[in-house]
Amino acid sequence: MATDHPSTPTETPQPPRPVRYTPEVEQLLPNEAELLLQTGETVLGMAQTVRRAHGHAMHATHAKAVGLLKGTLLIADDLPPELAQGLFARPGRYDVLVRYAPGPSNPVSDKASGQRGLSLKVLGVEGPHLPESRETTTQDWVLALDPAFVASTAEDFLRTFRRFAAKSPSIPENLIVAGSRLARGAEAALETVGLESSNLRFFGRPPQHPASEVYYSQAPVRYGDYIAKLAVFPTPETLAAIGDPALDTSHDDEAQRHAMQAYYTQHAGTYEVRVQLCTDLQTMPVEDAAVVWPEAQSPYRTVARLVLPPQEAYSEARRQYVDERLAFNPVHALEAHRPLGSIMRVRTKVYIQAQDFRQQANGVVPAEPRSHAEVPD
């Protein structure tokens, strides 16, 4: 007679544990000091070219802001221990400043559509900051459209920068626009056969409403006890309010700014702030910034909500304050959110050099606001 045996219970697979942060996850390049010197010289050379052309010093990259907004960062309640780290360790709310800006180092027409960025400055942040940071009450996140950099290391970054970006301030605008169109066409052709090129996307991608896009830290940062990348994702409510995100830039050199002003006059913009924890240093390396961390292995998980209420999205008074007196730099950070990898180590130091040049050339005093009350409307 057959005997029934109890079935063996199926064990639910546990998600991979996040990698713990230690200083040893970073490895200095043997020529890193020289790379810093050469990258600084290249970026300052670009900034000086732009100043001579426009009579005014600008941000060394992402020179032209298209949206300058006040908002609130709402830290989620009841985060699991691996997500309740650093700034996100406890529920709370912070005043935030947000700067949307396309990538070029000079203020070219929106007909040239390439890289785009979003920078966050969280105000009134208490706690131990990095010794390299000049700000002691802010936390900055500098984000862009791609989940990884176009370059792997600081050496690759300098080579790519010299080949392309460093030359752009000296190129006539009509040639930049034409080059962007060619890059968009070539990238679109690659995508039809299932291929892509990060370099082509960097210089040519379809124009799109800035508030509709996902923005990534690209390179990793310390995340308290762990390591992570950070991104902001527009909510379905924001995407529905925007509608078709495609922008027609053919007859409007400032199409992005005008779209932002029209949208934020009537609507709020809301985003989910998410982090992707490193669970494997082989597939999610710290020192190779060109590697896209696999989301199947470690998905982006929500830790906060960013709310940008209806407002004037770009005023001259706010431009003069934010674009002249402030600087967005990943090194403005809690020790718990130290930027990691050679690109970030070099990049953050070069940003300080570029800030000094910009503010000294324009004769302005740096500011570090602690709340929205200090920022003009």
Side-chain angles (χ1 to χ4, degrees), residues 65-70 98-100 209 211 256-267 308-316 318-319 322 376-377:
V66 297
L68 301 167
L69 294 105
K70 295 180 180 181
V98 178
R99 183 180 190 264
Y100 296 83
H209 197 296
Q256 293 185 66
R257 175 163 58 85
H258 293 154
M260 294 287 281
Q261 289 175 307
Y263 177 80
Y264 277 104
T265 297
Q266 300 182 16
H267 304 283
L308 306 175
Q311 61 191 285
E312 171 54 61
Y314 186 101
S315 71
E316 179 57 24
R318 194 176 292 175
R319 187 205 66 78
V322 175
D377 290 326

PDB file of all heavy atoms in Angstrom, residues 65-70 98-100 209 211 256-267 308-316 318-319 322 376-377:
ATOM      1  N   ALA A  65      21.133  76.677 -16.984  1.00  0.00           N
ATOM      2  CA  ALA A  65      20.005  76.118 -16.247  1.00  0.00           C
ATOM      3  C   ALA A  65      18.715  76.325 -17.030  1.00  0.00           C
ATOM      4  O   ALA A  65      18.530  77.360 -17.669  1.00  0.00           O
ATOM      5  CB  ALA A  65      19.886  76.773 -14.877  1.00  0.00           C
ATOM      6  N   VAL A  66      17.828  75.329 -16.974  1.00  0.00           N
ATOM      7  CA  VAL A  66      16.511  75.457 -17.613  1.00  0.00           C
ATOM      8  C   VAL A  66      15.384  75.351 -16.580  1.00  0.00           C
ATOM      9  O   VAL A  66      14.216  75.522 -16.914  1.00  0.00           O
ATOM     10  CB  VAL A  66      16.320  74.404 -18.721  1.00  0.00           C
ATOM     11  CG1 VAL A  66      17.338  74.613 -19.829  1.00  0.00           C
ATOM     12  CG2 VAL A  66      16.397  72.985 -18.171  1.00  0.00           C
ATOM     13  N   GLY A  67      15.743  75.069 -15.338  1.00  0.00           N
ATOM     14  CA  GLY A  67      14.771  75.035 -14.252  1.00  0.00           C
ATOM     15  C   GLY A  67      15.487  75.158 -12.927  1.00  0.00           C
ATOM     16  O   GLY A  67      16.488  74.474 -12.694  1.00  0.00           O
ATOM     17  N   LEU A  68      15.024  76.078 -12.068  1.00  0.00           N
ATOM     18  CA  LEU A  68      15.598  76.296 -10.739  1.00  0.00           C
ATOM     19  C   LEU A  68      14.434  76.316  -9.757  1.00  0.00           C
ATOM     20  O   LEU A  68      13.667  77.280  -9.716  1.00  0.00           O
ATOM     21  CB  LEU A  68      16.371  77.622 -10.700  1.00  0.00           C
ATOM     22  CG  LEU A  68      17.531  77.742 -11.695  1.00  0.00           C
ATOM     23  CD1 LEU A  68      18.007  79.186 -11.797  1.00  0.00           C
ATOM     24  CD2 LEU A  68      18.688  76.831 -11.295  1.00  0.00           C
ATOM     25  N   LEU A  69      14.303  75.262  -8.970  1.00  0.00           N
ATOM     26  CA  LEU A  69      13.082  75.084  -8.191  1.00  0.00           C
ATOM     27  C   LEU A  69      13.372  74.806  -6.719  1.00  0.00           C
ATOM     28  O   LEU A  69      14.420  74.277  -6.362  1.00  0.00           O
ATOM     29  CB  LEU A  69      12.253  73.936  -8.761  1.00  0.00           C
ATOM     30  CG  LEU A  69      11.688  74.202 -10.154  1.00  0.00           C
ATOM     31  CD1 LEU A  69      12.453  73.440 -11.199  1.00  0.00           C
ATOM     32  CD2 LEU A  69      10.215  73.829 -10.214  1.00  0.00           C
ATOM     33  N   LYS A  70      12.385  75.181  -5.888  1.00  0.00           N
ATOM     34  CA  LYS A  70      12.386  74.809  -4.484  1.00  0.00           C
ATOM     35  C   LYS A  70      11.497  73.586  -4.304  1.00  0.00           C
ATOM     36  O   LYS A  70      10.445  73.462  -4.955  1.00  0.00           O
ATOM     37  CB  LYS A  70      11.846  75.948  -3.620  1.00  0.00           C
ATOM     38  CG  LYS A  70      12.698  77.212  -3.618  1.00  0.00           C
ATOM     39  CD  LYS A  70      12.057  78.273  -2.735  1.00  0.00           C
ATOM     40  CE  LYS A  70      12.875  79.563  -2.700  1.00  0.00           C
ATOM     41  NZ  LYS A  70      12.246  80.590  -1.820  1.00  0.00           N
ATOM     42  N   VAL A  98      16.624  72.426  -6.545  1.00  0.00           N
ATOM     43  CA  VAL A  98      16.799  71.548  -7.699  1.00  0.00           C
ATOM     44  C   VAL A  98      17.185  72.389  -8.904  1.00  0.00           C
ATOM     45  O   VAL A  98      16.546  73.405  -9.194  1.00  0.00           O
ATOM     46  CB  VAL A  98      15.509  70.754  -7.992  1.00  0.00           C
ATOM     47  CG1 VAL A  98      15.687  69.873  -9.220  1.00  0.00           C
ATOM     48  CG2 VAL A  98      15.122  69.905  -6.789  1.00  0.00           C
ATOM     49  N   ARG A  99      18.234  71.967  -9.579  1.00  0.00           N
ATOM     50  CA  ARG A  99      18.705  72.645 -10.796  1.00  0.00           C
ATOM     51  C   ARG A  99      18.677  71.650 -11.958  1.00  0.00           C
ATOM     52  O   ARG A  99      19.370  70.643 -11.943  1.00  0.00           O
ATOM     53  CB  ARG A  99      20.123  73.180 -10.600  1.00  0.00           C
ATOM     54  CG  ARG A  99      20.661  73.975 -11.801  1.00  0.00           C
ATOM     55  CD  ARG A  99      22.080  74.482 -11.515  1.00  0.00           C
ATOM     56  NE  ARG A  99      22.528  75.433 -12.529  1.00  0.00           N
ATOM     57  CZ  ARG A  99      23.272  75.113 -13.600  1.00  0.00           C
ATOM     58  NH1 ARG A  99      23.651  73.858 -13.791  1.00  0.00           N
ATOM     59  NH2 ARG A  99      23.635  76.040 -14.464  1.00  0.00           N
ATOM     60  N   TYR A 100      17.848  71.935 -12.967  1.00  0.00           N
ATOM     61  CA  TYR A 100      17.826  71.160 -14.211  1.00  0.00           C
ATOM     62  C   TYR A 100      18.730  71.884 -15.222  1.00  0.00           C
ATOM     63  O   TYR A 100      18.608  73.108 -15.388  1.00  0.00           O
ATOM     64  CB  TYR A 100      16.436  71.100 -14.812  1.00  0.00           C
ATOM     65  CG  TYR A 100      15.357  70.390 -14.023  1.00  0.00           C
ATOM     66  CD1 TYR A 100      14.665  71.029 -13.000  1.00  0.00           C
ATOM     67  CD2 TYR A 100      14.984  69.082 -14.348  1.00  0.00           C
ATOM     68  CE1 TYR A 100      13.635  70.388 -12.310  1.00  0.00           C
ATOM     69  CE2 TYR A 100      13.951  68.436 -13.670  1.00  0.00           C
ATOM     70  CZ  TYR A 100      13.282  69.100 -12.653  1.00  0.00           C
ATOM     71  OH  TYR A 100      12.258  68.474 -11.980  1.00  0.00           O
ATOM     72  N   HIS A 209      10.960  66.705 -22.352  1.00  0.00           N
ATOM     73  CA  HIS A 209      10.635  67.556 -21.212  1.00  0.00           C
ATOM     74  C   HIS A 209      11.547  67.185 -20.038  1.00  0.00           C
ATOM     75  O   HIS A 209      11.588  66.026 -19.619  1.00  0.00           O
ATOM     76  CB  HIS A 209       9.174  67.354 -20.821  1.00  0.00           C
ATOM     77  CG  HIS A 209       8.616  68.427 -19.959  1.00  0.00           C
ATOM     78  ND1 HIS A 209       9.084  68.687 -18.684  1.00  0.00           N
ATOM     79  CD2 HIS A 209       7.628  69.335 -20.172  1.00  0.00           C
ATOM     80  CE1 HIS A 209       8.415  69.682 -18.152  1.00  0.00           C
ATOM     81  NE2 HIS A 209       7.522  70.100 -19.040  1.00  0.00           N
ATOM     82  N   ALA A 211      11.362  67.504 -16.880  1.00  0.00           N
ATOM     83  CA  ALA A 211      10.724  66.948 -15.684  1.00  0.00           C
ATOM     84  C   ALA A 211      10.248  65.517 -15.876  1.00  0.00           C
ATOM     85  O   ALA A 211       9.821  64.870 -14.913  1.00  0.00           O
ATOM     86  CB  ALA A 211       9.547  67.823 -15.262  1.00  0.00           C
ATOM     87  N   GLN A 256      13.361  73.997 -23.538  1.00  0.00           N
ATOM     88  CA  GLN A 256      13.323  73.285 -22.256  1.00  0.00           C
ATOM     89  C   GLN A 256      12.879  74.215 -21.124  1.00  0.00           C
ATOM     90  O   GLN A 256      12.020  73.856 -20.311  1.00  0.00           O
ATOM     91  CB  GLN A 256      14.700  72.698 -21.944  1.00  0.00           C
ATOM     92  CG  GLN A 256      15.136  71.591 -22.881  1.00  0.00           C
ATOM     93  CD  GLN A 256      16.438  70.966 -22.453  1.00  0.00           C
ATOM     94  OE1 GLN A 256      16.533  70.325 -21.406  1.00  0.00           O
ATOM     95  NE2 GLN A 256      17.480  71.152 -23.254  1.00  0.00           N
ATOM     96  N   ARG A 257      13.443  75.401 -21.075  1.00  0.00           N
ATOM     97  CA  ARG A 257      13.061  76.344 -20.021  1.00  0.00           C
ATOM     98  C   ARG A 257      11.603  76.744 -20.152  1.00  0.00           C
ATOM     99  O   ARG A 257      10.866  76.802 -19.155  1.00  0.00           O
ATOM    100  CB  ARG A 257      13.964  77.582 -20.062  1.00  0.00           C
ATOM    101  CG  ARG A 257      13.554  78.658 -19.064  1.00  0.00           C
ATOM    102  CD  ARG A 257      14.662  79.669 -18.836  1.00  0.00           C
ATOM    103  NE  ARG A 257      15.081  80.329 -20.046  1.00  0.00           N
ATOM    104  CZ  ARG A 257      14.481  81.406 -20.566  1.00  0.00           C
ATOM    105  NH1 ARG A 257      13.404  81.929 -19.985  1.00  0.00           N
ATOM    106  NH2 ARG A 257      14.946  81.967 -21.670  1.00  0.00           N
ATOM    107  N   HIS A 258      11.150  77.006 -21.361  1.00  0.00           N
ATOM    108  CA  HIS A 258       9.757  77.393 -21.565  1.00  0.00           C
ATOM    109  C   HIS A 258       8.803  76.259 -21.182  1.00  0.00           C
ATOM    110  O   HIS A 258       7.727  76.498 -20.613  1.00  0.00           O
ATOM    111  CB  HIS A 258       9.545  77.815 -23.021  1.00  0.00           C
ATOM    112  CG  HIS A 258      10.273  79.076 -23.371  1.00  0.00           C
ATOM    113  ND1 HIS A 258      10.682  79.377 -24.653  1.00  0.00           N
ATOM    114  CD2 HIS A 258      10.684  80.128 -22.595  1.00  0.00           C
ATOM    115  CE1 HIS A 258      11.302  80.547 -24.658  1.00  0.00           C
ATOM    116  NE2 HIS A 258      11.311  81.013 -23.417  1.00  0.00           N
ATOM    117  N   ALA A 259       9.189  75.014 -21.466  1.00  0.00           N
ATOM    118  CA  ALA A 259       8.356  73.882 -21.080  1.00  0.00           C
ATOM    119  C   ALA A 259       8.275  73.752 -19.566  1.00  0.00           C
ATOM    120  O   ALA A 259       7.205  73.460 -19.004  1.00  0.00           O
ATOM    121  CB  ALA A 259       8.904  72.587 -21.691  1.00  0.00           C
ATOM    122  N   MET A 260       9.390  73.982 -18.898  1.00  0.00           N
ATOM    123  CA  MET A 260       9.401  73.903 -17.432  1.00  0.00           C
ATOM    124  C   MET A 260       8.537  75.005 -16.822  1.00  0.00           C
ATOM    125  O   MET A 260       7.773  74.771 -15.877  1.00  0.00           O
ATOM    126  CB  MET A 260      10.837  74.013 -16.926  1.00  0.00           C
ATOM    127  CG  MET A 260      11.709  72.840 -17.316  1.00  0.00           C
ATOM    128  SD  MET A 260      11.314  71.350 -16.378  1.00  0.00           S
ATOM    129  CE  MET A 260      12.165  71.711 -14.860  1.00  0.00           C
ATOM    130  N   GLN A 261       8.662  76.211 -17.355  1.00  0.00           N
ATOM    131  CA  GLN A 261       7.862  77.319 -16.822  1.00  0.00           C
ATOM    132  C   GLN A 261       6.373  77.063 -17.027  1.00  0.00           C
ATOM    133  O   GLN A 261       5.562  77.297 -16.120  1.00  0.00           O
ATOM    134  CB  GLN A 261       8.290  78.629 -17.493  1.00  0.00           C
ATOM    135  CG  GLN A 261       9.669  79.106 -17.049  1.00  0.00           C
ATOM    136  CD  GLN A 261      10.139  80.323 -17.808  1.00  0.00           C
ATOM    137  OE1 GLN A 261      10.159  80.334 -19.042  1.00  0.00           O
ATOM    138  NE2 GLN A 261      10.523  81.374 -17.092  1.00  0.00           N
ATOM    139  N   ALA A 262       6.001  76.568 -18.190  1.00  0.00           N
ATOM    140  CA  ALA A 262       4.585  76.301 -18.462  1.00  0.00           C
ATOM    141  C   ALA A 262       4.057  75.198 -17.547  1.00  0.00           C
ATOM    142  O   ALA A 262       2.941  75.287 -17.024  1.00  0.00           O
ATOM    143  CB  ALA A 262       4.400  75.910 -19.931  1.00  0.00           C
ATOM    144  N   TYR A 263       4.848  74.162 -17.329  1.00  0.00           N
ATOM    145  CA  TYR A 263       4.385  73.044 -16.513  1.00  0.00           C
ATOM    146  C   TYR A 263       4.242  73.442 -15.047  1.00  0.00           C
ATOM    147  O   TYR A 263       3.189  73.229 -14.423  1.00  0.00           O
ATOM    148  CB  TYR A 263       5.346  71.859 -16.635  1.00  0.00           C
ATOM    149  CG  TYR A 263       4.949  70.704 -15.750  1.00  0.00           C
ATOM    150  CD1 TYR A 263       3.954  69.821 -16.136  1.00  0.00           C
ATOM    151  CD2 TYR A 263       5.550  70.519 -14.506  1.00  0.00           C
ATOM    152  CE1 TYR A 263       3.560  68.779 -15.314  1.00  0.00           C
ATOM    153  CE2 TYR A 263       5.165  69.479 -13.674  1.00  0.00           C
ATOM    154  CZ  TYR A 263       4.175  68.608 -14.083  1.00  0.00           C
ATOM    155  OH  TYR A 263       3.777  67.584 -13.261  1.00  0.00           O
ATOM    156  N   TYR A 264       5.299  74.036 -14.471  1.00  0.00           N
ATOM    157  CA  TYR A 264       5.295  74.293 -13.028  1.00  0.00           C
ATOM    158  C   TYR A 264       4.405  75.472 -12.634  1.00  0.00           C
ATOM    159  O   TYR A 264       4.126  75.661 -11.458  1.00  0.00           O
ATOM    160  CB  TYR A 264       6.723  74.474 -12.519  1.00  0.00           C
ATOM    161  CG  TYR A 264       7.402  73.151 -12.243  1.00  0.00           C
ATOM    162  CD1 TYR A 264       8.349  72.639 -13.127  1.00  0.00           C
ATOM    163  CD2 TYR A 264       7.065  72.404 -11.124  1.00  0.00           C
ATOM    164  CE1 TYR A 264       8.950  71.411 -12.887  1.00  0.00           C
ATOM    165  CE2 TYR A 264       7.660  71.182 -10.873  1.00  0.00           C
ATOM    166  CZ  TYR A 264       8.603  70.694 -11.756  1.00  0.00           C
ATOM    167  OH  TYR A 264       9.193  69.469 -11.519  1.00  0.00           O
ATOM    168  N   THR A 265       3.940  76.235 -13.600  1.00  0.00           N
ATOM    169  CA  THR A 265       2.962  77.264 -13.281  1.00  0.00           C
ATOM    170  C   THR A 265       1.661  76.643 -12.766  1.00  0.00           C
ATOM    171  O   THR A 265       0.981  77.200 -11.904  1.00  0.00           O
ATOM    172  CB  THR A 265       2.671  78.130 -14.521  1.00  0.00           C
ATOM    173  OG1 THR A 265       3.877  78.797 -14.909  1.00  0.00           O
ATOM    174  CG2 THR A 265       1.604  79.171 -14.223  1.00  0.00           C
ATOM    175  N   GLN A 266       1.333  75.451 -13.258  1.00  0.00           N
ATOM    176  CA  GLN A 266       0.049  74.824 -12.937  1.00  0.00           C
ATOM    177  C   GLN A 266       0.163  73.505 -12.176  1.00  0.00           C
ATOM    178  O   GLN A 266      -0.790  73.092 -11.525  1.00  0.00           O
ATOM    179  CB  GLN A 266      -0.744  74.570 -14.221  1.00  0.00           C
ATOM    180  CG  GLN A 266      -1.049  75.822 -15.020  1.00  0.00           C
ATOM    181  CD  GLN A 266      -1.873  75.516 -16.260  1.00  0.00           C
ATOM    182  OE1 GLN A 266      -2.462  74.455 -16.381  1.00  0.00           O
ATOM    183  NE2 GLN A 266      -1.906  76.445 -17.197  1.00  0.00           N
ATOM    184  N   HIS A 267       1.315  72.837 -12.250  1.00  0.00           N
ATOM    185  CA  HIS A 267       1.420  71.475 -11.732  1.00  0.00           C
ATOM    186  C   HIS A 267       2.587  71.340 -10.762  1.00  0.00           C
ATOM    187  O   HIS A 267       3.557  72.091 -10.810  1.00  0.00           O
ATOM    188  CB  HIS A 267       1.628  70.481 -12.879  1.00  0.00           C
ATOM    189  CG  HIS A 267       0.577  70.524 -13.931  1.00  0.00           C
ATOM    190  ND1 HIS A 267      -0.678  69.965 -13.773  1.00  0.00           N
ATOM    191  CD2 HIS A 267       0.598  71.065 -15.185  1.00  0.00           C
ATOM    192  CE1 HIS A 267      -1.389  70.151 -14.867  1.00  0.00           C
ATOM    193  NE2 HIS A 267      -0.646  70.812 -15.742  1.00  0.00           N
ATOM    194  N   LEU A 308       8.081  68.943  -5.783  1.00  0.00           N
ATOM    195  CA  LEU A 308       8.334  70.295  -6.282  1.00  0.00           C
ATOM    196  C   LEU A 308       6.974  70.939  -6.551  1.00  0.00           C
ATOM    197  O   LEU A 308       6.333  70.634  -7.553  1.00  0.00           O
ATOM    198  CB  LEU A 308       9.175  70.250  -7.561  1.00  0.00           C
ATOM    199  CG  LEU A 308      10.493  69.460  -7.468  1.00  0.00           C
ATOM    200  CD1 LEU A 308      11.170  69.392  -8.829  1.00  0.00           C
ATOM    201  CD2 LEU A 308      11.419  70.068  -6.435  1.00  0.00           C
ATOM    202  N   PRO A 309       6.495  71.804  -5.668  1.00  0.00           N
ATOM    203  CA  PRO A 309       5.143  72.353  -5.822  1.00  0.00           C
ATOM    204  C   PRO A 309       5.076  73.332  -6.988  1.00  0.00           C
ATOM    205  O   PRO A 309       6.110  73.775  -7.516  1.00  0.00           O
ATOM    206  CB  PRO A 309       4.909  73.066  -4.485  1.00  0.00           C
ATOM    207  CG  PRO A 309       6.274  73.426  -4.013  1.00  0.00           C
ATOM    208  CD  PRO A 309       7.175  72.311  -4.461  1.00  0.00           C
ATOM    209  N   PRO A 310       3.873  73.690  -7.434  1.00  0.00           N
ATOM    210  CA  PRO A 310       3.753  74.706  -8.480  1.00  0.00           C
ATOM    211  C   PRO A 310       4.461  75.988  -8.056  1.00  0.00           C
ATOM    212  O   PRO A 310       4.342  76.439  -6.910  1.00  0.00           O
ATOM    213  CB  PRO A 310       2.238  74.913  -8.589  1.00  0.00           C
ATOM    214  CG  PRO A 310       1.649  73.630  -8.112  1.00  0.00           C
ATOM    215  CD  PRO A 310       2.564  73.159  -7.018  1.00  0.00           C
ATOM    216  N   GLN A 311       5.187  76.592  -8.995  1.00  0.00           N
ATOM    217  CA  GLN A 311       5.985  77.785  -8.698  1.00  0.00           C
ATOM    218  C   GLN A 311       6.522  78.355 -10.000  1.00  0.00           C
ATOM    219  O   GLN A 311       6.372  77.756 -11.069  1.00  0.00           O
ATOM    220  CB  GLN A 311       7.155  77.427  -7.778  1.00  0.00           C
ATOM    221  CG  GLN A 311       8.120  76.402  -8.383  1.00  0.00           C
ATOM    222  CD  GLN A 311       9.117  75.871  -7.378  1.00  0.00           C
ATOM    223  OE1 GLN A 311      10.056  76.560  -7.016  1.00  0.00           O
ATOM    224  NE2 GLN A 311       8.895  74.623  -6.920  1.00  0.00           N
ATOM    225  N   GLU A 312       7.173  79.506  -9.906  1.00  0.00           N
ATOM    226  CA  GLU A 312       7.915  80.054 -11.037  1.00  0.00           C
ATOM    227  C   GLU A 312       9.185  79.224 -11.181  1.00  0.00           C
ATOM    228  O   GLU A 312      10.044  79.263 -10.299  1.00  0.00           O
ATOM    229  CB  GLU A 312       8.236  81.527 -10.792  1.00  0.00           C
ATOM    230  CG  GLU A 312       9.198  82.148 -11.795  1.00  0.00           C
ATOM    231  CD  GLU A 312       8.761  81.989 -13.233  1.00  0.00           C
ATOM    232  OE1 GLU A 312       7.676  82.494 -13.573  1.00  0.00           O
ATOM    233  OE2 GLU A 312       9.500  81.341 -14.016  1.00  0.00           O
ATOM    234  N   ALA A 313       9.303  78.497 -12.268  1.00  0.00           N
ATOM    235  CA  ALA A 313      10.387  77.520 -12.407  1.00  0.00           C
ATOM    236  C   ALA A 313      11.726  78.144 -12.755  1.00  0.00           C
ATOM    237  O   ALA A 313      12.762  77.466 -12.679  1.00  0.00           O
ATOM    238  CB  ALA A 313      10.023  76.486 -13.476  1.00  0.00           C
ATOM    239  N   TYR A 314      11.712  79.414 -13.128  1.00  0.00           N
ATOM    240  CA  TYR A 314      12.976  80.055 -13.509  1.00  0.00           C
ATOM    241  C   TYR A 314      12.777  81.561 -13.410  1.00  0.00           C
ATOM    242  O   TYR A 314      12.074  82.157 -14.238  1.00  0.00           O
ATOM    243  CB  TYR A 314      13.370  79.671 -14.935  1.00  0.00           C
ATOM    244  CG  TYR A 314      14.729  80.179 -15.374  1.00  0.00           C
ATOM    245  CD1 TYR A 314      15.831  79.330 -15.372  1.00  0.00           C
ATOM    246  CD2 TYR A 314      14.911  81.486 -15.802  1.00  0.00           C
ATOM    247  CE1 TYR A 314      17.077  79.776 -15.785  1.00  0.00           C
ATOM    248  CE2 TYR A 314      16.149  81.946 -16.210  1.00  0.00           C
ATOM    249  CZ  TYR A 314      17.239  81.095 -16.204  1.00  0.00           C
ATOM    250  OH  TYR A 314      18.471  81.540 -16.609  1.00  0.00           O
ATOM    251  N   SER A 315      13.348  82.169 -12.407  1.00  0.00           N
ATOM    252  CA  SER A 315      13.285  83.623 -12.270  1.00  0.00           C
ATOM    253  C   SER A 315      14.702  84.177 -12.309  1.00  0.00           C
ATOM    254  O   SER A 315      15.667  83.482 -11.972  1.00  0.00           O
ATOM    255  CB  SER A 315      12.606  84.019 -10.957  1.00  0.00           C
ATOM    256  OG  SER A 315      13.448  83.725  -9.847  1.00  0.00           O
ATOM    257  N   GLU A 316      14.826  85.435 -12.680  1.00  0.00           N
ATOM    258  CA  GLU A 316      16.150  86.046 -12.749  1.00  0.00           C
ATOM    259  C   GLU A 316      16.763  86.164 -11.360  1.00  0.00           C
ATOM    260  O   GLU A 316      17.960  85.949 -11.172  1.00  0.00           O
ATOM    261  CB  GLU A 316      16.069  87.416 -13.423  1.00  0.00           C
ATOM    262  CG  GLU A 316      17.411  88.144 -13.532  1.00  0.00           C
ATOM    263  CD  GLU A 316      18.478  87.347 -14.282  1.00  0.00           C
ATOM    264  OE1 GLU A 316      18.127  86.466 -15.095  1.00  0.00           O
ATOM    265  OE2 GLU A 316      19.684  87.600 -14.043  1.00  0.00           O
ATOM    266  N   ARG A 318      16.279  84.192  -8.784  1.00  0.00           N
ATOM    267  CA  ARG A 318      16.753  82.870  -8.361  1.00  0.00           C
ATOM    268  C   ARG A 318      17.964  82.445  -9.172  1.00  0.00           C
ATOM    269  O   ARG A 318      18.887  81.800  -8.661  1.00  0.00           O
ATOM    270  CB  ARG A 318      15.631  81.844  -8.457  1.00  0.00           C
ATOM    271  CG  ARG A 318      15.972  80.543  -7.722  1.00  0.00           C
ATOM    272  CD  ARG A 318      14.805  79.567  -7.732  1.00  0.00           C
ATOM    273  NE  ARG A 318      13.691  80.064  -6.931  1.00  0.00           N
ATOM    274  CZ  ARG A 318      12.519  79.443  -6.868  1.00  0.00           C
ATOM    275  NH1 ARG A 318      12.303  78.338  -7.564  1.00  0.00           N
ATOM    276  NH2 ARG A 318      11.548  79.942  -6.125  1.00  0.00           N
ATOM    277  N   ARG A 319      17.982  82.786 -10.456  1.00  0.00           N
ATOM    278  CA  ARG A 319      19.162  82.448 -11.270  1.00  0.00           C
ATOM    279  C   ARG A 319      20.406  83.107 -10.712  1.00  0.00           C
ATOM    280  O   ARG A 319      21.467  82.474 -10.601  1.00  0.00           O
ATOM    281  CB  ARG A 319      18.956  82.873 -12.729  1.00  0.00           C
ATOM    282  CG  ARG A 319      20.072  82.401 -13.663  1.00  0.00           C
ATOM    283  CD  ARG A 319      20.209  83.250 -14.883  1.00  0.00           C
ATOM    284  NE  ARG A 319      20.641  84.607 -14.556  1.00  0.00           N
ATOM    285  CZ  ARG A 319      21.904  84.940 -14.252  1.00  0.00           C
ATOM    286  NH1 ARG A 319      22.849  84.014 -14.196  1.00  0.00           N
ATOM    287  NH2 ARG A 319      22.218  86.194 -13.988  1.00  0.00           N
ATOM    288  N   VAL A 322      21.225  81.108  -7.358  1.00  0.00           N
ATOM    289  CA  VAL A 322      21.598  79.697  -7.495  1.00  0.00           C
ATOM    290  C   VAL A 322      22.767  79.517  -8.439  1.00  0.00           C
ATOM    291  O   VAL A 322      23.737  78.813  -8.140  1.00  0.00           O
ATOM    292  CB  VAL A 322      20.390  78.863  -7.958  1.00  0.00           C
ATOM    293  CG1 VAL A 322      20.798  77.413  -8.228  1.00  0.00           C
ATOM    294  CG2 VAL A 322      19.285  78.908  -6.910  1.00  0.00           C
ATOM    295  N   PRO A 376      15.880  83.437  -2.955  1.00  0.00           N
ATOM    296  CA  PRO A 376      14.830  84.289  -3.549  1.00  0.00           C
ATOM    297  C   PRO A 376      13.898  83.499  -4.446  1.00  0.00           C
ATOM    298  O   PRO A 376      14.235  82.439  -4.971  1.00  0.00           O
ATOM    299  CB  PRO A 376      15.632  85.328  -4.342  1.00  0.00           C
ATOM    300  CG  PRO A 376      16.974  84.739  -4.551  1.00  0.00           C
ATOM    301  CD  PRO A 376      17.239  83.790  -3.426  1.00  0.00           C
ATOM    302  N   ASP A 377      12.689  84.051  -4.597  1.00  0.00           N
ATOM    303  CA  ASP A 377      11.716  83.447  -5.503  1.00  0.00           C
ATOM    304  C   ASP A 377      11.901  83.993  -6.909  1.00  0.00           C
ATOM    305  O   ASP A 377      11.509  83.392  -7.884  1.00  0.00           O
ATOM    306  CB  ASP A 377      10.294  83.730  -5.020  1.00  0.00           C
ATOM    307  CG  ASP A 377       9.980  82.967  -3.734  1.00  0.00           C
ATOM    308  OD1 ASP A 377      10.495  81.844  -3.580  1.00  0.00           O
ATOM    309  OD2 ASP A 377       9.239  83.509  -2.889  1.00  0.00           O
TER     310      ASP A 377
END
